[in-house]
Amino acid sequence: MTAPLNVDGPAAPPRSNGELVFAEPWESRAFGMAVALHEAGAFAWPRFQAALISRIRAWEDGRSADEAWDYYRLWLAALEDVLTEQDVVRADEVTTRARTLDGRPAGHDHGDHGGDHHDHHNHHDHDDHDRPH
């Protein structure tokens, strides 16, 4: 089962030359999470599309002149709507997790690797100089 992504219409994801466009890493993760949860049977895709269209309409109807368009924030909000509606996750769990993630330093968008709180650059060895050849 794959998610039918409309090429046209109000719920269509941003594209450039037919390819999906993500401005930030979290956007692609939010996109992938929705598709994976749908494919796992957590919700029907038409229900998600309806929630996304509803979020887009509400944004269009209630936005202020200085409020910027942010498709993937609406995508994520629609995903939260569907998951809480389907009792996959409780609304308070979403709020708690969002606050936790919001409190992390800017630019650090992955886990803490088992509780080791060392600097990112010191935690990973990206060089091969220590490995025997």
Side-chain angles (χ1 to χ4, degrees):
M1 167 177 11
T2 59
L5 299 173
N6 288 348
V7 175
D8 298 317
R15 295 180 188 266
S16 177
N17 295 322
E19 298 293 322
L20 293 170
V21 175
F22 304 104
E24 300 286 337
W26 73 265
E27 295 174 348
S28 65
R29 287 193 296 275
F31 179 86
M33 188 170 24
V35 171
L37 286 166
H38 160 70
E39 290 177 350
F43 57 85
W45 195 256
R47 176 61 200 111
F48 174 73
Q49 287 178 306
L52 179 56
I53 290 168
S54 176
R55 284 289 185 157
I56 290 169
R57 285 190 183 132
W59 179 85
E60 290 172 342
D61 293 344
R63 70 183 169 105
S64 62
D66 61 338
E67 188 177 358
W69 168 251
D70 193 333
Y71 177 84
Y72 287 106
R73 291 213 184 274
L74 298 173
W75 174 281
L76 192 55
L79 179 59
E80 291 171 5
D81 292 346
V82 170
L83 293 176
T84 56
E85 176 185 281
Q86 300 283 336
D87 290 326
V88 174
V89 65
R90 291 189 334 256
D92 62 329
E93 291 174 314
V94 172
T95 302
T96 299
R97 183 68 175 149
R99 285 185 183 143
T100 300
L101 293 174
D102 193 40
R104 292 181 7 183
H108 190 79
D109 60 352
H110 55 78
D112 69 3
H113 308 291
D116 189 1
H117 297 286
H118 295 291
D119 179 64
H120 173 79
H121 297 290
N122 292 332
H123 183 72
H124 301 288
D125 185 8
H126 296 286
D127 298 324
D128 290 333
H129 68 276
D130 290 334
R131 283 193 230 156
H133 294 277

